[in-house]
Amino acid sequence: MNRIKAIIATLFVAMAFGATAQYSQLGAKNEFMFKAEIGYSPFMGNFGKLGDNGYNLPQYEHAAGLNVMAGVNISQDWFLGGGVGVNYYHNFVQELSKPMFGANVFVDFDFRPIWKAVMGVDYQPTTITWAPLMGARLGGSLLFADQMLFTPLAEAYGGINWYYAHGLRNMTHNWHSFYATLGVAYMQQTFFLPIRVGWRW
């Protein structure tokens, strides 16, 4: 069983880093980018099949985490890349809860729709400072407990994006931004409500 989990984890790593490949072949409208973010994910509820020792996070543990991603910003509005992250699971109220660490590997996709329309014709404004943000992630989650536990990871999120570098489009560094998101995530048989702030450069 551990061999199967190791193979699945390796596949997710390959998917994540494969999404960042072909850097040297990027076109004029594409840019290689990084994202880094910190977040806090309150516990929402357990879900899934009970194991021999119960749920993976039986004491309603919350998660604090750090994620880093690398990928391609495509035609200014889209991002596709791979990421890795670390989580610290805890519940300071439950005496039975013991802090645990975990790691995630995932493919990250987001869209910042800043196109506008005039009389049915789309155009890109010359300046933009704020834009909505929506995205999703798929991957795997490892929990470093007494027995290493591996589960799928899925997340959908939305938020807001601030283009701090002059707010200009079609110019150098115009895609660099700070952002804040709120989402729903599933990992380790648990639903979380991740709240994150990040930097895109």
Side-chain angles (χ1 to χ4, degrees):
M1 190 64 177
N2 287 335
R3 172 180 266 182
I4 294 174
K5 290 181 178 180
I7 292 172
I8 294 173
T10 302
L11 288 174
F12 277 121
V13 170
M15 287 169 52
F17 288 100
T20 67
Q22 305 302 323
Y23 165 63
S24 61
Q25 299 180 15
L26 296 181
K29 291 186 177 181
N30 305 324
E31 181 181 15
F32 188 76
M33 300 200 75
F34 292 97
K35 292 166 62 177
E37 60 188 26
I38 57 173
Y40 191 77
S41 303
F43 174 94
M44 291 179 63
N46 291 123
F47 180 83
K49 184 178 179 181
L50 283 169
D52 294 337
N53 298 315
Y55 287 110
N56 293 357
L57 300 172
Q59 304 301 326
Y60 316 116
E61 287 90 343
H62 309 292
L66 168 68
N67 296 320
V68 291
M69 290 142 280
V72 181
N73 202 70
I74 304 168
S75 296
Q76 301 187 357
D77 299 332
W78 307 81
F79 175 85
L80 176 64
V84 293
V86 292
N87 286 330
Y88 173 73
Y89 298 96
H90 70 92
N91 188 332
F92 296 124
V93 177
Q94 290 280 354
E95 294 182 0
L96 296 177
S97 176
K98 295 181 179 180
M100 293 178 286
F101 284 93
N104 298 330
V105 59
F106 53 86
V107 173
D108 180 51
F109 159 81
D110 73 43
F111 175 49
R112 302 170 310 284
I114 54 179
W115 289 77
K116 295 185 178 181
V118 175
M119 299 181 65
V121 178
D122 286 338
Y123 77 99
Q124 290 180 309
T126 56
T127 64
I128 190 74
T129 303
W130 298 92
L133 168 68
M134 60 189 71
R137 291 174 182 170
L138 290 173
S141 172
L142 285 170
L143 181 65
F144 303 117
D146 294 335
Q147 178 182 0
M148 185 176 292
L149 301 169
F150 177 80
T151 69
L153 177 153
E155 179 179 338
Y157 59 87
I160 191 162
N161 208 66
W162 174 46
Y163 293 97
Y164 63 85
H166 314 298
L168 299 179
R169 295 171 61 78
N170 300 316
M171 295 185 69
T172 303
H173 305 312
N174 63 321
W175 301 320
H176 297 203
S177 64
F178 293 111
Y179 61 89
T181 62
L182 175 66
V184 175
Y186 172 80
M187 58 186 174
Q188 297 301 329
Q189 300 179 302
T190 304
F191 280 106
F192 293 94
L193 189 71
I195 304 165
R196 298 194 177 101
V197 292
W199 179 30
R200 179 196 311 272
W201 78 97

